[in-house]
Amino acid sequence: MKLFGRIASLAGFTLLVSFFAVPIGLTLLFGGHAEWMPILIGGFIGFIVIVGMSIFNVKRRAVFYGVPIAIVLIGCVVAVPALYKLTKPVVATSDVDLYDYAPNKPGTKAVELGRPASFRIEQDVPIIDGATALYPVYAAFAQAVYPKQDYDPYNSAVMSNRTGSAYENLLAGDVDIIFALGPSEAQRARASELGKELVLTPIGKEAFVFFVNKENPVNGLTQEELRDIYSGKVTNWKEVGGNRSKIRAFQRPADSGSQTALEEFMGDVPIMKAPTEEVADLMSGIITYVADYRNYDGAIGYTFRYYSESMIGNNNIRLLAVDGAEPTVETIRSGAYPITRELYAITARSDNPNVDAFIDWILSDEGQELVEKTGYVGINSAAD
């Protein structure tokens, strides 16, 4: 009877501990954190062994402490390969250096016509600003048309202060033209409050892209699956043909160009609230986070094709096909890639006498040639 009582006590204690351990285990297993399971199991068994030895009056200390400790250590060793991704340093990806694209700089990456432009501005040059991703193309416009001099990318007549700041500068009257995607609802409302009319002139096309770490086995998703992910309806990659791993859907701050593009893509589908640590300030930051080895099986982000492939060039991410179409110049041109966005020259009633003529030139064959040479698709470009 005494032995039976001890066995019953151990069984009861085991059931009590299981009451707490099983839900934790299921949460880890189905929540995309299965790498912790060997440690949980080892700890659970080790703890039960310690209690069992106490109940059965095991006196030898080497056994009393050694066996459960060994069990826990075995669990840790088994977990090491999976936990390695939680401790390996982030793959570094710095923001793009805009000085590489500055107009007239020796060795600049800003493309050239290869001949004198038919239109020139010698004085009253429009002050231009815009999105980081579009700086290479409007730097090329300025290089072809503006006086030959240095233009600092952050403080000159040809600068880039990122989308949100560029809109603020335009509405404040500090710049004449900005080059960006269309405004967010908040930016439109701000313009209306100030009595400003935003005039958007399409100058090119680009693909809005979603991307994962290159180790993620998912190569493509449908538009519906992408909306389900960013609405929070789908939370695990196994639901869309991937591994059993929790999805970490990174976002950008409100009023950034890519966040506005996501809002347009989602339409009436509400976007889930992203945890603070999953909101990337810089567009290069969202690429860095997804490229991070620790996120290889869980992260997804979004950006623009040219920026990710040509300006950042991080080989640790892979752009996803959408509805079976890869994001390429050819699929943007043909319309096969389903998520394209127009690139705009945007004004707000500038008094500069050269603004309209400059935009007309950008829409000319010469301006559109620079759009294509840079790596975007011309606004009037169509499939052959």
Side-chain angles (χ1 to χ4, degrees):
M1 290 296 294
K2 190 175 182 180
L3 177 62
F4 177 78
R6 288 179 176 179
I7 293 174
S9 296
L10 181 60
F13 181 79
T14 302
L15 288 173
L16 179 63
V17 175
S18 299
F19 180 78
F20 297 99
V22 170
I24 294 173
L26 292 175
T27 299
L28 293 175
L29 183 63
F30 294 102
H33 299 287
E35 62 270 6
W36 292 102
M37 285 296 293
I39 295 176
L40 176 67
I41 293 171
F44 174 76
I45 295 174
F47 193 46
I48 296 300
V49 169
I50 289 175
V51 174
M53 288 180 173
S54 297
I55 291 174
F56 287 94
N57 294 320
V58 176
K59 301 296 185 181
R60 288 177 296 178
R61 292 189 176 183
V63 174
F64 189 85
Y65 293 111
V67 171
I69 290 174
I71 292 172
V72 174
L73 288 177
I74 290 171
C76 292
V77 170
V78 172
V80 162
L83 290 174
Y84 181 57
K85 72 186 179 69
L86 299 176
T87 58
K88 187 170 180 178
V90 172
V91 178
T93 303
S94 59
D95 196 23
V96 65
D97 187 353
L98 295 185
Y99 286 98
D100 290 343
Y101 298 88
N104 308 316
K105 181 182 177 182
T108 181
K109 294 180 181 179
V111 300
E112 298 182 352
L113 279 174
R115 60 189 184 280
S118 60
F119 172 72
R120 298 285 303 177
I121 301 175
E122 299 298 340
Q123 57 185 2
D124 293 326
V125 297
I127 300 174
I128 56 180
D129 197 350
T132 302
L134 294 186
Y135 180 76
V137 71
Y138 67 81
F141 296 155
Q143 183 169 255
V145 171
Y146 282 22
K148 297 296 182 183
Q149 63 186 55
D150 291 335
Y151 296 97
D152 187 282
Y154 302 100
N155 185 24
S156 72
V158 185
M159 56 186 171
S160 175
N161 289 295
R162 297 158 57 184
T163 301
S165 295
Y167 269 103
E168 291 174 8
N169 290 338
L170 180 67
L171 294 176
D174 295 330
V175 302
D176 299 303
I177 310 171
I178 66 170
F179 293 87
L181 274 80
S184 66
E185 290 301 319
Q187 287 160 340
R188 290 183 184 276
R190 179 59 178 162
S192 180
E193 288 174 6
L194 296 173
K196 298 289 185 73
E197 179 186 2
L198 294 175
V199 180
L200 283 64
T201 303
I203 63 166
K205 302 174 187 175
E206 173 59 321
F208 180 57
V209 297
F210 292 85
F211 59 91
V212 295
N213 189 284
K214 68 177 182 179
E215 300 298 331
N216 190 317
V218 174
N219 292 305
L221 295 168
T222 66
Q223 293 185 69
E224 181 180 2
E225 287 171 334
L226 288 166
R227 291 189 178 98
D228 286 345
I229 287 172
Y230 272 94
S231 67
K233 182 178 179 181
V234 168
T235 60
N236 200 291
W237 283 107
K238 65 182 174 61
E239 299 177 66
V240 289
N243 295 329
R244 176 178 288 154
S245 180
K246 182 179 179 181
I247 295 175
R248 296 190 67 192
F250 285 91
Q251 296 188 40
R252 293 289 319 287
D255 297 335
S256 63
S258 54
Q259 188 69 14
T260 299
L262 177 69
E263 292 166 0
E264 292 177 353
F265 169 71
M266 295 292 286
D268 294 331
V269 179
I271 301 173
M272 66 178 176
K273 180 176 175 58
T276 301
E277 65 273 15
E278 295 182 6
V279 176
D281 183 27
L282 297 175
M283 191 151 65
S284 61
I286 199 170
I287 293 174
T288 298
Y289 294 156
V290 177
D292 180 354
Y293 183 89
R294 293 172 294 184
N295 297 328
Y296 79 92
D297 59 350
I300 185 172
Y302 48 85
T303 184
F304 297 98
R305 177 200 56 86
Y306 173 79
Y307 179 83
S308 63
E309 291 185 338
S310 299
M311 297 180 74
I312 293 294
N314 191 313
N315 294 323
N316 293 296
I317 65 169
R318 180 176 64 255
L319 305 188
L320 294 174
V322 178
D323 293 344
E326 301 284 346
T328 66
V329 168
E330 291 73 22
T331 58
I332 298 170
R333 197 185 311 280
S334 68
Y337 184 76
I339 319 175
T340 58
R341 292 292 178 267
E342 291 184 331
L343 313 175
Y344 295 103
I346 306 167
T347 60
R349 298 180 182 173
S350 171
D351 294 329
N352 187 291
N354 291 313
V355 165
D356 290 341
F358 184 34
I359 293 176
D360 286 344
W361 176 82
I362 291 171
L363 297 175
S364 73
D365 290 343
E366 291 178 349
Q368 290 296 290
E369 181 179 334
L370 291 178
V371 171
E372 294 274 351
K373 279 187 173 180
T374 298
Y376 293 107
V377 175
I379 193 61
N380 296 317
S381 181
D384 293 334

